[in-house]
Amino acid sequence: MTAVNRQIRLARRPAGEVRAEDWGHGSEAVAVPGDGQFLGRTRYVSLDPAMRGWLDDRPSYLPPVGLGEVMRAGSVVEVVASNHPGFTVGDHVVGAFGVQEYALSDGKGAITVDPALAPLSTYLGALGMPGTTAYFGLLEVGALKEGETVLVSGAAGAVGTMVGQIAKVKGCRVIGIAGGPEKCALLTGELGFDAAIDYRSEDVRKALRAHAPDGVDVYFDNVGGPILDAALTALALHARVVVCGAISQYNNESAVQGPSNYLALLVRRARMEGFVVFDYARRYAEAAAEIAGWIGDGRITVKEQVVEGTVDDFPETFQMLFRGENTGKLVLRLT
Amino acid sequence: MTAVNRQIRLARRPAGEVRAEDWGHGSEAVAVPGDGQFLGRTRYVSLDPAMRGWLDDRPSYLPPVGLGEVMRAGSVVEVVASNHPGFTVGDHVVGAFGVQEYALSDGKGAITVDPALAPLSTYLGALGMPGTTAYFGLLEVGALKEGETVLVSGAAGAVGTMVGQIAKVKGCRVIGIAGGPEKCALLTGELGFDAAIDYRSEDVRKALRAHAPDGVDVYFDNVGGPILDAALTALALHARVVVCGAISQYNNESAVQGPSNYLALLVRRARMEGFVVFDYARRYAEAAAEIAGWIGDGRITVKEQVVEGTVDDFPETFQMLFRGENTGKLVLRLT
């Protein structure tokens, strides 16, 4: 146990886009697990747009990452030492272990996963937070019903690919909004969406009128900004807008762009509702089991983008999320 | 029947604030009711902020008032001639009869009311659209529960005075936002609100932190704009924002100000929902009966501001709504 644990810490609160100098690269001696603890070696680090919000010093659903603290991140670790009765050396465990090569844990919030059932990275994606976010957001918050029309933005991302495919499983018509022809081709091709709108080259409002002439019943919003405003012009009566995120606004240095068309909620008797997937923690297993079944049946295709590297590659990999450079779930595999 | 029917018609679509020249003052011969029709003489004309929206040529929950048409308005008329089996000379009837001295009706949407049970004007206010708007918005859309904290903006208006008082009847803590010390004194005095915030002289966010330290469970929004944004900073977990109107935005010549703080819906797992009271038409009688009971018990005080005049006074009276000059329900009594 004389190994070194390299870590990424928050060095400075970013203003707008996160810069290389906002991160600290450090190392410390690998810790020895005490009573009731285990030590895990990180195999996969999750990269999620929501992490950007954790860097700001403002009240949210989680406290901000403190200055100097190891960056919070979901990850899959392999247990390499254990004084915890529930975790054995060789176990693979998912949890919020942070961007570091080794993590000490008391087991709280840690879930053992089986690499024989699914690739480890999938437990950070389709079977992890993005998958359950799509599942509960669409089915519980969105109260989706068979035959409805679903619109999802950030459709080629970790959550969006799952939203669209779950909606198809549920017998809905699905329209995805994504950036660029390759992502749009993926949506309507491999992922089985009914239509895709390329927001970089198309007039989204006009495209929505064409693809959803009778309106959108559930709009699952991952992006906010002008696309949210466009979607609000296309709501069906009694529509539900699921507020999952607003990636277009996370790097704003000025105020968030509020949805100017929010009075469509009144005209269309619609609702806009936010949620945080952590509230469904007690039902993660139920959702993951159902999603795993759909993957097994071939009804859902898992899309992942795996970057290989070290924790020092985290900052640059993180920026891919905000440049639209990833398709599906973005993970960093520590090699 | 050689009398003249003076009318206010829409002469021009207003840009921003409605100007005198946007209205046409005209007259025509009083019509004779045909088979299945009655003729009513207007006693009270309702003035409502929502009327501003009806003047714009854009899709909404009702078609816009056409250029040259008699201005749409709720009113109370007295039947002066009838060839309709359901309406007798002398009856008092509420309906969308328009801003005119006489109205011909086939009885559709017309409701006979009893001047012995309540003053006629009350059927346009506490027992009419504003009262039922408050009732269904708060209890159905807001899903209000006993013991919750309710915030209402435009609190001294026709809807706001009813929202706050109904919430008190339901055992809630009530905070009202209004403009000026007189209105605020009315709220916490005669109307029994627990607290009032004068948005003209107070920092609304700061006042909300003081008056609702544990957050607001239901925010009933009549105004939009900066007050909606302030309210979003004060939501309790699982809060409901009822979108009833946005009077601060109706005269905008540029885009509506979207709520920059809408991501509070996510952080607080809250929802924002719009509604149109017309959807509850089949339950108006139920709501009015319950409200009448509360008025009879002295638990609800009816606030009305009656302007006496002719239909030619409609344009100037209408502007009072947007200048914050009325307290309670604003009606024009034709003398």
Side-chain angles (χ1 to χ4, degrees):
Chain A
M1 284 294 173
T2 53
V4 158
N5 177 22
R6 292 196 58 78
Q7 304 169 316
I8 298 296
R9 293 175 179 268
L10 180 62
R12 190 178 71 174
R13 297 223 174 270
E17 192 176 325
V18 185
R19 288 176 177 75
E21 312 89 73
D22 299 329
W23 302 110
H25 299 248
S27 61
E28 57 181 35
V30 171
V32 178
D35 219 36
Q37 292 186 319
F38 70 82
L39 180 72
R41 181 173 181 174
T42 308
R43 300 284 304 275
Y44 289 89
V45 177
S46 180
L47 295 108
D48 302 279
M51 295 166 122
R52 178 63 189 84
W54 305 343
L55 305 180
D56 292 331
D57 190 17
R58 68 168 72 113
S60 188
Y61 58 94
L62 282 178
V65 176
L67 284 177
E69 285 181 9
V70 172
M71 177 58 193
R72 182 188 296 145
S75 63
V76 183
V77 303
E78 181 176 344
V79 177
V80 291
S82 181
N83 283 315
H84 190 298
F87 299 90
T88 307
V89 171
D91 280 357
H92 290 88
V93 182
V94 171
F97 301 122
V99 186
Q100 53 183 343
E101 292 178 329
Y102 291 89
L104 210 55
S105 170
D106 61 6
K108 267 188 204 146
I111 300 168
T112 304
V113 297
D114 186 346
L117 292 180
L120 286 177
S121 54
T122 309
Y123 293 106
L124 297 176
L127 296 175
M129 199 173 72
T132 51
T133 295
Y135 183 94
F136 292 110
L138 193 59
L139 304 182
E140 297 287 324
V141 186
L144 187 67
K145 291 186 280 290
E146 189 182 334
E148 290 192 319
T149 296
V150 174
L151 175 68
V152 56
S153 57
V159 174
T161 52
M162 293 299 293
V163 167
Q165 292 185 92
I166 293 173
K168 287 307 298 177
V169 168
K170 295 292 181 182
C172 292
R173 175 174 163 75
V174 177
I175 304 160
I177 304 177
E182 293 79 9
K183 289 182 178 175
C184 287
L186 169 76
L187 298 180
T188 53
E190 193 179 350
L191 302 188
F193 286 42
D194 297 286
I197 299 170
D198 178 357
Y199 73 85
R200 291 188 183 156
S201 66
E202 291 182 70
D203 177 327
V204 176
R205 289 183 198 208
K206 210 171 140 186
L208 283 172
R209 283 196 294 277
H211 292 305
D214 298 325
V216 165
D217 299 297
V218 173
Y219 170 51
F220 194 108
D221 188 30
N222 291 308
V223 303
I227 290 177
L228 170 56
D229 256 329
L232 287 168
T233 68
L235 299 184
L237 266 184
H238 306 298
R240 288 83 70 200
V241 177
V242 180
V243 181
C244 178
I247 196 170
S248 75
Q249 305 295 305
Y250 291 165
N251 283 334
N252 279 11
E253 296 197 57
S254 54
V256 163
Q257 180 187 335
S260 179
N261 295 327
Y262 83 101
L263 289 170
L265 298 177
L266 188 158
V267 175
R268 309 307 290 166
R269 292 83 154 160
R271 73 165 190 255
M272 184 183 296
E273 185 162 356
F275 78 109
V276 173
V277 73
F278 303 150
D279 294 344
Y280 295 91
R282 280 186 298 186
R283 295 175 57 195
Y284 282 170
E286 165 200 331
E290 191 157 21
I291 294 168
W294 293 328
I295 294 171
D297 294 348
R299 303 179 77 184
I300 283 189
T301 299
V302 174
K303 294 309 291 183
E304 295 177 355
Q305 186 153 348
V306 180
V307 174
E308 314 242 328
T310 71
V311 291
D312 292 324
D313 294 310
F314 171 81
E316 186 57 24
T317 310
F318 183 61
Q319 285 310 100
M320 291 174 66
L321 292 167
F322 298 93
R323 295 180 190 135
E325 291 175 355
N326 65 300
T327 298
K329 173 63 193 172
L330 181 64
V331 291
L332 176 61
R333 177 168 174 255
L334 300 192
T335 51
Chain B
M1 284 290 173
T2 53
V4 159
N5 177 22
R6 292 195 57 78
Q7 305 169 314
I8 299 295
R9 293 175 179 264
L10 180 62
R12 188 178 72 174
R13 298 223 173 269
E17 193 175 324
V18 184
R19 290 176 175 74
E21 311 88 74
D22 298 329
W23 303 111
H25 299 248
S27 60
E28 58 181 34
V30 171
V32 177
D35 218 34
Q37 292 186 320
F38 69 83
L39 180 73
R41 182 173 182 173
T42 308
R43 301 284 303 276
Y44 289 90
V45 177
S46 180
L47 295 109
D48 301 280
M51 295 166 123
R52 177 65 188 82
W54 305 344
L55 305 180
D56 292 330
D57 190 16
R58 67 168 72 113
S60 189
Y61 58 94
L62 281 178
V65 175
L67 284 176
E69 285 181 10
V70 173
M71 177 58 192
R72 182 189 294 146
S75 62
V76 183
V77 303
E78 182 176 344
V79 177
V80 291
S82 182
N83 284 315
H84 189 298
F87 299 90
T88 307
V89 171
D91 281 356
H92 292 88
V93 181
V94 171
F97 300 123
V99 186
Q100 54 184 343
E101 292 178 328
Y102 291 89
L104 210 55
S105 170
D106 61 6
K108 268 190 202 145
I111 300 168
T112 304
V113 296
D114 186 348
L117 292 180
L120 287 176
S121 54
T122 309
Y123 293 107
L124 297 177
L127 297 176
M129 199 174 72
T132 50
T133 295
Y135 182 95
F136 292 111
L138 193 59
L139 305 182
E140 298 287 323
V141 186
L144 188 67
K145 291 185 281 290
E146 189 181 335
E148 290 192 319
T149 296
V150 174
L151 175 68
V152 56
S153 56
V159 173
T161 52
M162 294 300 291
V163 167
Q165 292 186 92
I166 293 172
K168 287 307 298 177
V169 168
K170 295 292 181 182
C172 292
R173 174 173 165 74
V174 177
I175 304 160
I177 303 177
E182 293 79 9
K183 288 183 179 176
C184 287
L186 168 76
L187 297 181
T188 54
E190 193 179 351
L191 301 189
F193 285 42
D194 297 285
I197 299 170
D198 178 358
Y199 73 86
R200 290 189 185 157
S201 66
E202 292 183 69
D203 177 327
V204 176
R205 289 182 198 210
K206 210 171 140 185
L208 283 172
R209 283 196 295 275
H211 292 305
D214 299 325
V216 166
D217 298 298
V218 174
Y219 170 49
F220 194 109
D221 189 29
N222 291 308
V223 303
I227 289 177
L228 170 56
D229 256 330
L232 286 168
T233 69
L235 299 184
L237 268 184
H238 306 298
R240 287 82 70 200
V241 177
V242 180
V243 181
C244 178
I247 195 171
S248 76
Q249 304 297 306
Y250 290 166
N251 283 334
N252 279 11
E253 296 196 57
S254 52
V256 164
Q257 180 186 336
S260 179
N261 295 326
Y262 83 101
L263 289 171
L265 298 177
L266 187 158
V267 174
R268 309 309 290 167
R269 292 82 153 161
R271 72 163 191 255
M272 183 184 295
E273 186 162 354
F275 77 110
V276 173
V277 73
F278 303 147
D279 293 344
Y280 296 92
R282 279 186 298 185
R283 295 175 57 194
Y284 283 170
E286 165 200 334
E290 191 157 21
I291 294 168
W294 293 328
I295 295 171
D297 294 347
R299 304 179 76 185
I300 282 188
T301 298
V302 173
K303 294 308 290 182
E304 294 177 355
Q305 186 153 347
V306 180
V307 173
E308 315 243 328
T310 70
V311 292
D312 293 324
D313 295 307
F314 171 82
E316 187 57 25
T317 310
F318 183 61
Q319 285 311 99
M320 292 175 64
L321 293 167
F322 299 92
R323 296 180 189 136
E325 291 174 354
N326 65 300
T327 297
K329 173 63 195 173
L330 181 64
V331 291
L332 176 62
R333 178 168 174 256
L334 300 193
T335 52

